[in-house]
Amino acid sequence: MDRKLTNTPLETATHKHYLRNQRWGFSWALWTAVLWGAWYIPGTALWFEHPYVDIDMNDHALRLSATAVMTWIHAILVFLFLLIWNGSLGKLTDYGRTIVRFRHISKWYALASLCGGPMAIFGSYMAMGYVGPVFAAITSLFYPVVGAVIARLWFNEKISTQTAYGMAIIIMGGIVVYGPALFGTMDSTNNLAWLGYLGGIMSAIGWGAEGAVASRAMDVTDPDVGIQCRFSFEVLFWGVFILPILSIFTELPIGALIIDTLSSSQAMLWMVLASICHAYCYTSFYRSFTLIGVGRGEAIGNLYGVFAVIFVAAVTLQLPEWYFVLGLAFTVLGSFVMFRESAESISQLRDVAAEDTV
């Protein structure tokens, strides 16, 4: 009987392996949260520097175009910092080998870049510019629900009952954040606040979808190389397609915005700081997926809302509204509920059919 209760060496080693993966996955996801929360400080400060501070709040076409320019320059800088990271790790050859395999591998990173760049990062800058950093941070908090649901429906990533409860709590937190706006208790003088609300929704859907899409390729690629590919495509999408189309077919001063941003030392200082935070936040983000899965990685990364509120309060010396704090509490609680599973729960993250190729 004692023999039955004693784990075999293989079972013990397997348990330690899963426990180590869970611990490292948790650590990378937590670093995601810290750096992501810090990103909202320079990301918001950028709106108060030339040329962005000079744009009339009511000129939403120019303001949205400025957001696009901001996002493109941001993507270029993130790409450069990732280049330094992968170069120091000796992974540039692997990066080149991965990105040229578009049909089977890098197409997923291209799709992830559309979800994460023109949708999520662009939407988050919108939310920061039209409403504020605390709102932008907290409204994105239900992106783990989006990611977990897509991962479940697409490639059968396991969602336990406990994870489902966590998702429900996170959704409740999102309702608490959006509720006051829907009932008119927020600033009624800001007629364009709806663009900020839309940006918050875009960021939540975009980042959730990005995690699921990128994870589709990370079964066969290195996560550091994957994030480099993802930002390579984002730079191309903005610089080759979106911004040139806006410049050619509209009268918006896209070129002037780019030049003014690059020539403004203060704007570029905030841009560089934001890009450093995001480059290594994303590195941690993708690494966590390979260890604990999309749903769990995004759930723990969801704690960025805590750090964002703390950082913003520390810098501005102002506490957020009560419903922001309440919504934050729900989303954080939901994240912990999603994570509190046994180490063996990560033994099989995805169940992709054998005949289904990447």
Side-chain angles (χ1 to χ4, degrees):
M1 185 172 181
D2 291 337
R3 183 176 298 177
K4 292 181 180 179
L5 295 175
T6 303
N7 291 333
T8 65
L10 178 59
E11 290 173 337
T12 302
T14 302
H15 175 74
K16 288 182 178 179
H17 170 71
Y18 294 145
L19 194 63
R20 184 166 55 251
N21 279 1
Q22 188 183 48
R23 184 167 57 249
W24 274 106
F26 176 86
S27 299
W28 284 117
L30 193 59
W31 271 113
T32 300
V34 174
L35 293 171
W36 200 334
W39 170 66
Y40 284 93
I41 300 301
T44 301
L46 187 58
W47 281 105
F48 295 91
E49 301 293 345
H50 175 77
Y52 305 106
V53 72
D54 303 324
I55 300 174
D56 187 351
M57 176 66 80
N58 295 315
D59 191 350
H60 61 274
L62 182 57
R63 201 167 178 82
L64 291 175
S65 300
T67 307
V69 169
M70 186 186 296
T71 308
W72 180 53
I73 297 175
H74 170 91
I76 293 174
L77 291 174
V78 170
F79 173 83
L80 294 176
F81 285 118
L82 289 173
L83 204 62
I84 295 172
W85 173 265
N86 282 320
S88 65
L89 295 176
K91 295 182 178 180
L92 292 182
T93 302
D94 194 14
Y95 160 67
R97 188 166 51 241
T98 301
I99 198 168
V100 297
R101 287 172 168 77
F102 184 81
R103 181 181 176 186
H104 295 294
I105 299 176
S106 61
K107 65 180 180 182
W108 300 115
Y109 292 122
L111 181 56
S113 73
L114 285 174
C115 297
M119 181 177 287
I121 297 177
F122 179 80
S124 199
Y125 272 124
M126 280 175 59
M128 283 186 273
Y130 283 100
V131 181
V134 173
F135 179 85
I138 295 177
T139 53
S140 302
L141 286 174
F142 47 99
Y143 79 95
V145 177
V146 178
V149 170
I150 293 176
R152 173 61 181 173
L153 296 177
W154 189 5
F155 44 81
N156 294 326
E157 181 167 296
K158 294 182 178 180
I159 298 179
S160 65
T161 302
Q162 191 166 341
T163 300
Y165 285 145
M167 290 181 186
I169 296 173
I170 291 173
I171 291 174
M172 189 179 299
I175 293 173
V176 169
V177 172
Y178 273 96
L182 296 176
F183 289 100
T185 59
M186 294 184 72
D187 185 8
S188 59
T189 61
N190 187 358
N191 295 325
L192 296 175
W194 67 271
L195 288 170
Y197 309 149
L198 176 62
I201 295 173
M202 288 170 59
S203 63
I205 295 174
W207 272 315
E210 179 188 355
V213 171
S215 185
R216 190 69 175 82
M218 276 190 282
D219 286 334
V220 293
T221 58
D222 183 278
D224 294 341
V225 170
I227 189 60
Q228 183 87 64
C229 292
R230 173 250 185 269
F231 272 96
S232 300
F233 286 114
E234 183 178 345
V235 170
L236 290 176
F237 285 138
W238 285 112
V240 176
F241 298 106
I242 301 174
L243 292 180
I245 289 173
L246 289 176
S247 180
I248 294 171
F249 295 102
T250 70
E251 296 181 355
L252 295 167
I254 302 298
L257 284 170
I258 295 173
I259 294 172
D260 287 347
T261 301
L262 295 176
S263 60
S264 172
S265 59
Q266 287 297 317
M268 287 306 298
L269 172 63
W270 292 119
M271 188 73 80
V272 167
L273 291 175
S275 300
I276 290 173
C277 291
H278 234 172
Y280 303 118
C281 152
Y282 254 108
T283 300
S284 304
F285 196 44
Y286 273 38
R287 284 190 171 197
S288 70
F289 294 158
T290 61
L291 295 169
I292 56 177
V294 176
R296 297 174 187 85
E298 291 188 343
I300 300 305
N302 217 17
L303 294 174
Y304 79 87
V306 176
F307 294 103
V309 171
I310 292 173
F311 291 146
V312 170
V315 171
T316 63
L317 301 180
Q318 293 180 349
L319 295 176
E321 297 289 343
W322 66 268
Y323 46 84
F324 282 144
V325 177
L326 182 60
L328 177 64
F330 274 116
T331 52
V332 171
L333 176 62
S335 296
F336 275 110
V337 170
M338 288 178 71
F339 182 75
R340 288 191 60 198
E341 295 178 296
S342 66
E344 281 71 22
S345 64
I346 65 169
S347 61
Q348 186 179 3
L349 297 176
R350 293 177 289 277
D351 184 20
V352 182
E355 66 272 11
D356 187 18
T357 59
V358 175

